[in-house]
Amino acid sequence: MSSTPNTTVRVLYTAEATATGGRRGHGRTSDGRVDVDFSSPTEMGGDGGPGTNPEQLFATGFAACFQNAMMSIARRTNISGVDDSIVTARVGIGPVPVENRFGLTAELDVRLPSIADRALAEELVAGADKRCPYTNAVRGNIEVVIKILEPPA
């Protein structure tokens, strides 16, 4: 089974990972850079063990990818002040109102402490939303809320 995207991707890099044992198993990339045990969260009926879970890995990748998209736009448009940005991603999982199905939600909190101009911050975030492969992959499939937060005082 495969799906066809609405655009053709000229692949520059392919990550390869293998999982065994599902949510209570093990995952490893082909180059060994990621080598993790999985544990299922207690909220999902799991043991809450010391391992990670797919949602944590997805949230980490989503945050890094979105931040990089903002940094790329800033470089291309000569906007300074993005290097100290912080992106926090939260990925939720739970049942959807269709029998035996689960779905995801995502929230991105973006902090741009060196950019005081709110309109500029919004422009960067909107551009990153269009550029980021993760937001493009999930658009129309899961709810994604992106918030620009004020820097901590």
Side-chain angles (χ1 to χ4, degrees):
M1 176 200 259
S2 67
S3 62
T4 305
N6 58 8
T7 59
T8 302
V9 175
R10 185 176 59 86
V11 175
L12 300 175
Y13 169 77
T14 299
E16 180 181 316
T18 301
T20 57
R23 288 183 165 272
R24 295 181 181 143
H26 188 83
R28 184 177 191 279
T29 58
S30 59
D31 62 7
R33 291 182 182 184
V34 177
D35 193 341
V36 296
D37 289 322
F38 294 118
S39 296
S40 192
T42 55
E43 297 87 346
M44 294 181 61
D47 64 359
T52 189
N53 60 63
E55 291 71 38
Q56 289 174 323
L57 296 172
F58 185 61
T60 302
F62 204 162
C65 189
F66 193 86
Q67 183 181 32
N68 196 71
M70 283 192 316
M71 294 169 89
S72 175
I73 291 167
R75 277 190 307 275
R76 290 173 187 222
T77 57
N78 296 315
I79 297 170
S80 61
V82 179
D83 289 344
D84 65 348
S85 64
I86 300 168
V87 177
T88 301
R90 280 186 277 302
V91 173
I93 183 171
V96 296
V98 177
E99 187 177 333
N100 295 321
R101 291 190 187 182
F102 276 72
L104 299 174
T105 63
E107 183 176 307
L108 300 174
D109 289 347
V110 178
R111 291 186 192 275
L112 294 156
S114 295
I115 297 182
D117 182 343
R118 179 72 181 196
L120 180 58
E122 289 173 359
E123 182 181 322
L124 278 168
V125 168
D129 183 34
K130 291 178 183 166
R131 182 173 179 79
C132 176
Y134 278 63
T135 53
N136 287 329
V138 302
R139 186 172 286 110
N141 296 307
I142 71 171
E143 177 187 359
V144 178
V145 175
I146 304 171
K147 295 189 281 184
I148 301 172
L149 303 179
E150 298 300 321

